[in-house]
C-alpha cells in the first residue's frame, strides 16, 4: 500500500505561482511513475502532468505546457508540481497519482487532493 499526501495548495492571484508537493510513503517510490491530475467543480478529473520513474521523461497536457513543471526527488519520495503564470481556469483540486505504466491510463494509488484557487 502506498499513501500519497499532497500539500502546497491555496489561493493565489492570476499570474502568480504555487508549488505542490506529494510525499509518498513507499520505499519503492521509484517503482512508480508519478503524476498530477486535477478536477474542477462540475468537470471530470483530467491529466495534468507525469514524470517517469527516473525523471528522465515528463509529460504535460497542452494547457499547462510552458507554465507547469513536474519533478521528483526519489531520495525524498516526493514529487513536485511547480505552477507558474496561473490562470483562473487552473482552479481545481489537484491530485497526486502513482502508476506502474506510462501513459497513466491506470492509477494504482491516489492522494486525497489539495485545493488550488486562482482569483482573477
Amino acid at each position: 500500500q502506498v499513501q500519497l499526501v499532497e500539500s502546497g495548495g491555496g489561493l493565489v492571484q492570476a499570474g502568480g505561482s504555487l508549488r505542490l508537493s506529494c510525499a509518498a510513503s513507499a520505499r519503492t517510490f521509484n517503482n512508480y511513475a508519478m503524476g498530477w491530475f486535477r478536477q474542477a467543480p462540475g468537470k471530470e478529473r483530467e491529466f495534468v502532468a507525469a514524470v517517469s520513474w527516473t525523471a528522465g521523461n515528463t509529460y504535460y497536457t497542452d494547457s499547462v505546457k510552458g507554465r507547469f513543471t513536474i519533478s521528483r526527488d526519489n531520495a525524498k519520495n516526493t514529487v513536485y508540481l511547480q505552477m507558474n503564470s496561473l490562470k483562473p481556469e487552473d482552479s481545481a483540486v489537484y491530485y497526486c497519482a502513482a502508476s506502474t505504466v506510462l501513459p497513466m491510463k491506470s492509477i494504482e494509488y491516489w492522494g486525497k487532493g489539495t485545493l488550488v484557487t486562482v482569483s482573477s
Side-chain angles (χ1 to χ4, degrees), residues 2 4 19-22 24 26-36 50-60 69-82 96-102 104:
V2 177
L4 303 175
R19 188 195 196 202
L20 305 183
S21 298
C22 171
R27 289 184 293 177
T28 56
F29 177 71
N30 59 353
N31 287 353
Y32 297 92
M34 299 297 298
W36 291 93
V51 60
S52 61
W53 297 261
T54 58
N57 293 291
T58 56
Y59 308 86
Y60 299 93
T69 302
I70 189 170
S71 61
R72 66 188 293 165
D73 185 336
N74 287 345
K76 295 183 178 180
N77 285 7
T78 302
V79 61
Y80 304 98
L81 186 67
Q82 178 66 45
C96 180
S99 175
T100 55
V101 298
L102 277 176
M104 301 187 84

Side-chain angles (χ1 to χ4, degrees), residues 37 47 99 101-107:
F37 289 71
F47 169 79
S99 175
V101 298
L102 277 176
M104 301 187 84
K105 298 297 186 182
S106 63
I107 304 299

